[in-house]
Amino acid sequence: MSPPSWPSPSPTDTFVQRRRRLQARLDRPALLVSGLSRPRNFAGNRYPFRAESHFLYFVGRSLEGAALLVEPARSVLFAPEPDPEEELWSGAMPSFAELADACGVEVRSIDDFEAPPETLTVPAQDAESAAFQSDLVGRDIFAGGGAELDEADARLADALIELRLVHDAGAIAQLRQAAAATAWAHRAGLAATRAGIREAAVRAQMEAAFVAFGYTASYNPIVTVHGEVLHAHRHDGELAAGDLLLADVGAETPEGWAGDVTRTWPVSGKFSATQRALYEVVLEAQSAAIAAVRPSVRYAEVHHVAALSVVRGLVELGILKGDPAELTARGAAALFFPHGVGHLLGLDVHDMEDLGDRAGYAPGRSRSTRPGERYLRLDRDLAPGMAVTIEPGYYRIARILERAEEVGDLEPHLDRRVLAQFDDVRGIRIEDDVLVTKDGAEVLTASIPKTAADVEAAVGAAT
Ligand code: GLY
Ligand code: MN
Ligand code: MN
């Protein structure tokens, strides 16, 4: 595997075309704000700024304190004027002429912005940015309120979803770059693993692998020997020879496009027989789910394929007893695989989740409340150009398995004596980034070791 190249920006025309496509879908003006950086502990010490994704999609740059006005006939970028005081600390800001040239759009001062009547918008994620947005549009915008839009803003959201759901060539090029940087990080994590070090040491190597090439993390990395904690964010655990290490780490390009990959590997470089058996169950479920990805297939069906495969594997190992199809219909997969098989991937790691289920669920569909389905973030018919993750898992989670209200009438189908033999497995997840193609699917992250043998060979090996 070779290292990723330094990220290359999308051609200016990508953004010109995207803005035109949005303009054609609007009958009223719309404002998409970039947002403001947040102070960490005092005004001069701030979290790194990352613009709102709807802004990035049409502008491609994390310009702080900016907003894009899109009207049916034109688009205008409103940006902060270069400020000598700010430039003293942070370096030169682009002139309006430079920005206009780079972004292919008319640029004016944000100080001169006046919202046209009835301007639509979708809410920023944090309170400071939402306050900035409220000032610009002249009405109260509630941070993170994208799941509860009024009818007019919802029309804007639907137009954004229509564009962002199916990736154009520029987006796919960005996703490929994110995937390559993510792959490099996983190689580095596998290579760095050995007993006696802490999770933090592996995490550091994984992040270093993409930071060194100009990428950032697309979400808080999960690098843990407690894979049963689905989104574990502690990294102080020590790696013991018999542990499995779960690493869910993704890179993000400077334009904001995400990778999202999980691998699980044995710290010693050798799976135990029980670890290997369960690893094969998850891998088989992932392969079956990926094989099910193609245009027109409903994503809930892909989830079902993975769930059935996990149950079948657990029946074969004797952990579950009964008919796999019947057990799956009764929700048995959720005892060990409580989350959905994946989600949309794009500018956000869970793409457009700021809009609630509006992007993930097709009109007329809504989230089931059943165990195993209530965390399914996507149920659309797949189409070429959509990107999704496929990430089944197996987890031994006490708060599920030790609660009668969770296990319910599946108890007689659970062989706890056999389950106890698999005590050296707490959590396994295998996750790849998958692009739906004209006639099937392409795994963008296929270069990352995944078979049990390939994973074993990569632990402790030089990159
Ligand atoms: N990395 C978060 C997820 O896989 O959904
Ligand atoms: Mn994911
Ligand atoms: Mn992930």
Side-chain angles (χ1 to χ4, degrees), residues 248 260 343 349-350 389 391 431:
D248 184 347
D260 181 13
H343 47 81
V349 60
H350 296 170
T389 65
E391 49 178 307
E431 173 175 29

Side-chain angles (χ1 to χ4, degrees), residues 218-222 230-231 233 248-250 259-262 339 342-343 349-350 353 377 389 391 429 431:
S218 49
Y219 52 93
N220 291 330
I222 299 162
L230 299 178
H231 283 173
H233 287 131
D248 184 347
V249 177
D260 181 13
V261 167
T262 309
H339 59 76
H343 47 81
V349 60
H350 296 170
E353 205 168 278
R377 300 171 196 274
T389 65
E391 49 178 307
R429 178 162 65 253
E431 173 175 29

Side-chain angles (χ1 to χ4, degrees), residues 191-457:
T193 296
R194 60 190 159 78
I197 62 173
R198 286 187 198 269
E199 296 154 339
V202 179
R203 177 208 169 163
Q205 293 301 322
M206 294 186 80
E207 286 203 73
F210 54 67
V211 169
F213 290 93
Y215 297 79
T216 53
S218 49
Y219 52 93
N220 291 330
I222 299 162
V223 181
T224 182
V225 291
H226 281 284
E228 80 280 14
V229 183
L230 299 178
H231 283 173
H233 287 131
R234 293 182 62 154
H235 298 108
D236 54 345
E238 202 171 284
L239 277 49
D243 282 335
L244 292 178
L245 184 67
L246 183 153
D248 184 347
V249 177
E252 178 173 302
T253 71
E255 284 180 23
W257 295 85
D260 181 13
V261 167
T262 309
R263 287 292 183 270
T264 308
W265 58 80
V267 167
S268 67
K270 190 88 193 134
F271 288 103
S272 71
T274 42
Q275 289 170 341
R276 192 175 180 123
L278 282 171
Y279 189 86
E280 297 292 357
V281 168
V282 179
L283 186 57
E284 173 61 32
Q286 204 226 15
S287 306
I290 290 173
V293 172
R294 59 183 175 278
S296 302
V297 167
R298 184 173 173 172
Y299 192 77
E301 177 54 25
V302 179
H303 176 75
H304 178 72
V305 165
L308 177 62
S309 183
V310 166
V311 170
R312 192 180 290 125
L314 296 180
V315 168
E316 278 165 17
L317 293 180
I319 294 173
L320 289 173
K321 293 178 294 186
D323 173 62
E326 193 196 318
L327 287 172
T328 306
R330 290 173 59 190
L335 297 177
F336 298 99
F337 166 36
H339 59 76
V341 75
H343 47 81
L344 291 169
L345 181 73
L347 274 163
D348 309 307
V349 60
H350 296 170
D351 208 24
M352 297 182 277
E353 205 168 278
D354 62 308
L355 301 172
D357 278 344
R358 197 173 193 96
Y361 278 71
R365 291 182 192 161
S366 58
R367 219 184 258 235
S368 159
T369 53
R370 298 187 67 212
E373 290 170 13
R374 63 172 176 249
Y375 299 121
L376 182 60
R377 300 171 196 274
L378 175 59
D379 187 13
R380 280 188 177 262
D381 294 349
L382 297 173
M386 284 170 71
V388 298
T389 65
I390 298 292
E391 49 178 307
Y394 165 92
Y395 314 91
R396 190 160 47 77
I397 301 173
R399 72 166 294 285
I400 295 177
L401 294 170
E402 288 171 15
R403 283 165 67 168
E405 63 268 38
E406 298 278 353
V407 179
D409 61 4
L410 290 167
E411 184 62 46
H413 299 277
L414 181 59
D415 191 327
R416 292 183 181 271
R417 192 185 46 81
V418 176
L419 178 61
Q421 293 164 15
F422 291 83
D423 254 7
D424 64 347
V425 179
R426 291 187 287 265
I428 295 171
R429 178 162 65 253
I430 305 175
E431 173 175 29
D432 279 299
D433 300 344
V434 178
L435 178 68
V436 184
T437 60
K438 224 163 56 303
D439 40 23
E442 178 190 346
V443 179
L444 299 176
T445 45
S447 65
I448 307 174
K450 190 160 69 170
T451 65
D454 285 352
V455 163
E456 287 182 339

Side-chain angles (χ1 to χ4, degrees), residues 49-290:
F49 179 66
R50 196 262 190 200
E52 294 281 326
S53 294
H54 298 298
F55 176 90
L56 278 177
Y57 186 76
F58 296 99
V59 177
R61 292 180 166 223
S62 270
L63 289 170
E64 188 171 351
L68 179 72
L69 179 68
V70 183
E71 295 182 298
R74 63 167 195 164
S75 296
V76 182
L77 175 62
F78 289 86
E81 305 222 24
D83 170 8
E85 183 74 12
E86 179 62 32
E87 289 181 330
L88 172 67
W89 295 98
S90 305
M93 296 166 68
S95 70
F96 287 180
E98 284 164 346
L99 268 183
D101 190 44
C103 303
V105 68
E106 179 187 342
V107 179
R108 291 168 50 188
S109 170
I110 191 83
D111 298 336
D112 296 338
F113 178 78
E114 272 182 44
E118 303 197 305
T119 296
L120 307 172
T121 196
V122 287
Q125 292 308 295
D126 64 280
E128 299 214 350
S129 298
F132 165 71
Q133 186 175 18
S134 302
D135 283 348
L136 292 175
V137 293
R139 59 189 164 101
D140 286 340
I141 303 295
F142 298 100
E148 286 156 21
L149 301 173
D150 67 26
E151 207 185 299
D153 287 337
R155 288 207 307 275
L156 168 62
D158 287 339
L160 295 169
I161 290 167
E162 197 188 334
L163 296 186
R164 287 182 54 188
L165 203 52
V166 172
H167 297 307
D168 59 21
I172 292 170
Q174 289 287 312
L175 287 170
R176 287 189 193 287
Q177 294 182 61
T182 299
W184 192 240
H186 279 265
R187 274 280 182 192
L190 283 153
T193 296
R194 60 190 159 78
I197 62 173
R198 286 187 198 269
E199 296 154 339
V202 179
R203 177 208 169 163
Q205 293 301 322
M206 294 186 80
E207 286 203 73
F210 54 67
V211 169
F213 290 93
Y215 297 79
T216 53
S218 49
Y219 52 93
N220 291 330
I222 299 162
V223 181
T224 182
V225 291
H226 281 284
E228 80 280 14
V229 183
L230 299 178
H231 283 173
H233 287 131
R234 293 182 62 154
H235 298 108
D236 54 345
E238 202 171 284
L239 277 49
D243 282 335
L244 292 178
L245 184 67
L246 183 153
D248 184 347
V249 177
E252 178 173 302
T253 71
E255 284 180 23
W257 295 85
D260 181 13
V261 167
T262 309
R263 287 292 183 270
T264 308
W265 58 80
V267 167
S268 67
K270 190 88 193 134
F271 288 103
S272 71
T274 42
Q275 289 170 341
R276 192 175 180 123
L278 282 171
Y279 189 86
E280 297 292 357
V281 168
V282 179
L283 186 57
E284 173 61 32
Q286 204 226 15
S287 306
I290 290 173

